Short mmCIF file of all heavy atoms in Angstrom, two decimals:
data_model
loop_
_atom_site.label_atom_id
_atom_site.label_comp_id
_atom_site.label_asym_id
_atom_site.label_seq_id
_atom_site.Cartn_x
_atom_site.Cartn_y
_atom_site.Cartn_z
N SER H 161 4.34 -28.69 3.79
CA SER H 161 4.41 -28.89 5.24
C SER H 161 5.82 -28.61 5.78
O SER H 161 6.82 -28.89 5.13
CB SER H 161 4.03 -30.32 5.58
OG SER H 161 2.73 -30.64 5.11
N GLY H 162 5.83 -28.05 7.00
CA GLY H 162 7.05 -27.88 7.74
C GLY H 162 8.08 -26.97 7.13
O GLY H 162 9.27 -27.13 7.36
N ARG H 163 7.65 -25.95 6.39
CA ARG H 163 8.58 -25.11 5.66
C ARG H 163 8.69 -23.67 6.19
O ARG H 163 9.53 -22.90 5.73
CB ARG H 163 8.19 -25.03 4.18
CG ARG H 163 8.20 -26.35 3.44
CD ARG H 163 9.61 -26.96 3.42
NE ARG H 163 10.57 -26.09 2.75
CZ ARG H 163 10.76 -26.06 1.44
NH1 ARG H 163 10.05 -26.82 0.63
NH2 ARG H 163 11.68 -25.26 0.92
N PHE H 164 7.87 -23.32 7.19
CA PHE H 164 7.83 -21.91 7.61
C PHE H 164 8.25 -21.77 9.08
O PHE H 164 7.88 -22.55 9.95
CB PHE H 164 6.43 -21.32 7.39
CG PHE H 164 6.13 -21.18 5.93
CD1 PHE H 164 5.53 -22.19 5.22
CD2 PHE H 164 6.45 -20.00 5.25
CE1 PHE H 164 5.26 -22.05 3.87
CE2 PHE H 164 6.19 -19.88 3.92
CZ PHE H 164 5.60 -20.88 3.21
N ASP H 165 8.98 -20.70 9.32
CA ASP H 165 9.43 -20.40 10.67
C ASP H 165 8.39 -19.64 11.47
O ASP H 165 8.40 -19.66 12.70
CB ASP H 165 10.73 -19.57 10.61
CG ASP H 165 11.84 -20.31 9.91
OD1 ASP H 165 12.53 -21.11 10.59
OD2 ASP H 165 12.03 -20.11 8.70
N CYS H 166 7.53 -18.95 10.78
CA CYS H 166 6.42 -18.27 11.49
C CYS H 166 5.25 -18.07 10.56
O CYS H 166 5.39 -18.00 9.34
CB CYS H 166 6.86 -16.95 12.11
SG CYS H 166 7.03 -15.58 10.94
N LEU H 167 4.08 -18.04 11.17
CA LEU H 167 2.81 -17.74 10.48
C LEU H 167 2.11 -16.69 11.31
O LEU H 167 2.04 -16.79 12.53
CB LEU H 167 1.98 -18.99 10.35
CG LEU H 167 0.61 -18.85 9.65
CD1 LEU H 167 0.23 -20.20 8.96
CD2 LEU H 167 -0.52 -18.47 10.64
N TYR H 168 1.64 -15.65 10.64
CA TYR H 168 0.91 -14.59 11.35
C TYR H 168 -0.30 -14.18 10.57
O TYR H 168 -0.42 -14.42 9.38
CB TYR H 168 1.82 -13.38 11.63
CG TYR H 168 2.30 -12.62 10.41
CD1 TYR H 168 1.59 -11.53 9.94
CD2 TYR H 168 3.44 -13.01 9.71
CE1 TYR H 168 2.02 -10.84 8.82
CE2 TYR H 168 3.87 -12.35 8.57
CZ TYR H 168 3.16 -11.24 8.14
OH TYR H 168 3.55 -10.55 7.02
N SER H 169 -1.24 -13.58 11.26
CA SER H 169 -2.51 -13.12 10.66
C SER H 169 -2.99 -11.92 11.42
O SER H 169 -3.02 -11.92 12.65
CB SER H 169 -3.54 -14.23 10.68
OG SER H 169 -4.72 -13.82 10.01
N VAL H 170 -3.33 -10.88 10.69
CA VAL H 170 -3.75 -9.61 11.32
C VAL H 170 -5.16 -9.27 10.89
O VAL H 170 -5.44 -9.01 9.72
CB VAL H 170 -2.77 -8.47 10.93
CG1 VAL H 170 -3.24 -7.14 11.51
CG2 VAL H 170 -1.36 -8.77 11.40
N GLU H 171 -6.07 -9.33 11.85
CA GLU H 171 -7.48 -8.96 11.67
C GLU H 171 -8.12 -9.65 10.45
O GLU H 171 -8.72 -9.01 9.61
CB GLU H 171 -7.61 -7.45 11.56
CG GLU H 171 -9.00 -6.98 12.03
CD GLU H 171 -9.07 -5.49 12.28
OE1 GLU H 171 -8.27 -4.98 13.12
OE2 GLU H 171 -9.91 -4.84 11.63
N ALA H 172 -7.96 -10.96 10.40
CA ALA H 172 -8.58 -11.76 9.36
C ALA H 172 -9.33 -12.96 9.96
O ALA H 172 -10.27 -13.47 9.36
CB ALA H 172 -7.57 -12.26 8.35
N ALA H 173 -8.90 -13.42 11.13
CA ALA H 173 -9.45 -14.65 11.72
C ALA H 173 -10.93 -14.54 12.02
O ALA H 173 -11.62 -15.57 12.10
CB ALA H 173 -8.67 -15.03 12.98
N GLN H 174 -11.46 -13.30 12.19
CA GLN H 174 -12.88 -13.16 12.42
C GLN H 174 -13.73 -13.57 11.24
O GLN H 174 -14.94 -13.77 11.34
CB GLN H 174 -13.23 -11.71 12.82
CG GLN H 174 -13.21 -10.71 11.69
CD GLN H 174 -11.81 -10.18 11.40
OE1 GLN H 174 -10.83 -10.62 11.96
NE2 GLN H 174 -11.74 -9.15 10.53
N HIS H 175 -13.08 -13.77 10.07
CA HIS H 175 -13.79 -14.23 8.86
C HIS H 175 -13.62 -15.73 8.60
O HIS H 175 -14.32 -16.28 7.81
CB HIS H 175 -13.21 -13.51 7.63
CG HIS H 175 -13.31 -12.03 7.66
ND1 HIS H 175 -14.40 -11.35 8.15
CD2 HIS H 175 -12.41 -11.07 7.29
CE1 HIS H 175 -14.18 -10.03 8.06
NE2 HIS H 175 -13.00 -9.85 7.54
N PHE H 176 -12.64 -16.40 9.29
CA PHE H 176 -12.36 -17.78 8.99
C PHE H 176 -13.54 -18.65 9.44
O PHE H 176 -13.88 -18.65 10.61
CB PHE H 176 -11.09 -18.26 9.69
CG PHE H 176 -9.81 -17.52 9.33
CD1 PHE H 176 -8.69 -17.67 10.10
CD2 PHE H 176 -9.77 -16.69 8.22
CE1 PHE H 176 -7.52 -17.00 9.78
CE2 PHE H 176 -8.59 -16.01 7.89
CZ PHE H 176 -7.45 -16.15 8.67
N PRO H 177 -14.14 -19.44 8.54
CA PRO H 177 -15.28 -20.24 8.94
C PRO H 177 -14.97 -21.39 9.86
O PRO H 177 -15.83 -21.86 10.59
CB PRO H 177 -15.88 -20.72 7.61
CG PRO H 177 -14.80 -20.57 6.62
CD PRO H 177 -13.92 -19.44 7.10
N ASP H 178 -13.71 -21.89 9.84
CA ASP H 178 -13.37 -23.09 10.61
C ASP H 178 -12.03 -22.88 11.31
O ASP H 178 -10.96 -23.11 10.73
CB ASP H 178 -13.31 -24.31 9.66
CG ASP H 178 -13.17 -25.64 10.38
OD1 ASP H 178 -12.74 -25.65 11.55
OD2 ASP H 178 -13.49 -26.66 9.77
N LEU H 179 -12.10 -22.48 12.56
CA LEU H 179 -10.87 -22.21 13.32
C LEU H 179 -10.06 -23.48 13.56
O LEU H 179 -8.83 -23.45 13.59
CB LEU H 179 -11.20 -21.53 14.66
CG LEU H 179 -11.74 -20.10 14.58
CD1 LEU H 179 -12.01 -19.58 15.99
CD2 LEU H 179 -10.79 -19.17 13.85
N ALA H 180 -10.73 -24.61 13.73
CA ALA H 180 -10.01 -25.86 13.97
C ALA H 180 -9.20 -26.24 12.74
O ALA H 180 -8.03 -26.67 12.85
CB ALA H 180 -10.98 -26.98 14.32
N ALA H 181 -9.75 -26.09 11.53
CA ALA H 181 -9.04 -26.40 10.33
C ALA H 181 -7.88 -25.42 10.12
O ALA H 181 -6.78 -25.82 9.70
CB ALA H 181 -9.98 -26.37 9.12
N PHE H 182 -8.08 -24.16 10.45
CA PHE H 182 -6.99 -23.18 10.38
C PHE H 182 -5.85 -23.56 11.30
O PHE H 182 -4.66 -23.51 10.94
CB PHE H 182 -7.52 -21.79 10.71
CG PHE H 182 -6.47 -20.78 11.01
CD1 PHE H 182 -5.49 -20.44 10.07
CD2 PHE H 182 -6.42 -20.13 12.24
CE1 PHE H 182 -4.51 -19.51 10.37
CE2 PHE H 182 -5.45 -19.19 12.57
CZ PHE H 182 -4.49 -18.88 11.61
N ALA H 183 -6.20 -24.00 12.52
CA ALA H 183 -5.17 -24.38 13.47
C ALA H 183 -4.39 -25.60 12.98
O ALA H 183 -3.16 -25.65 13.12
CB ALA H 183 -5.81 -24.69 14.83
N ARG H 184 -5.08 -26.56 12.42
CA ARG H 184 -4.39 -27.74 11.88
C ARG H 184 -3.45 -27.38 10.75
O ARG H 184 -2.31 -27.89 10.65
CB ARG H 184 -5.41 -28.78 11.42
CG ARG H 184 -6.19 -29.46 12.56
CD ARG H 184 -6.95 -30.66 12.07
NE ARG H 184 -8.00 -30.33 11.14
CZ ARG H 184 -9.26 -30.02 11.47
NH1 ARG H 184 -9.62 -30.00 12.74
NH2 ARG H 184 -10.14 -29.74 10.56
N GLU H 185 -3.90 -26.49 9.86
CA GLU H 185 -3.04 -26.05 8.77
C GLU H 185 -1.86 -25.26 9.28
O GLU H 185 -0.73 -25.38 8.78
CB GLU H 185 -3.83 -25.21 7.78
CG GLU H 185 -4.73 -26.01 6.87
CD GLU H 185 -3.88 -26.84 5.92
OE1 GLU H 185 -3.54 -26.34 4.81
OE2 GLU H 185 -3.58 -28.00 6.26
#
Side-chain angles (χ1 to χ4, degrees):
S161 301
R163 298 298 300 276
F164 291 89
D165 299 276
C166 76
L167 180 150
Y168 66 94
S169 183
V170 177
E171 207 166 302
Q174 74 276 7
H175 303 319
F176 299 166
D178 189 338
L179 292 180
F182 165 59
R184 290 192 295 271
E185 283 292 272

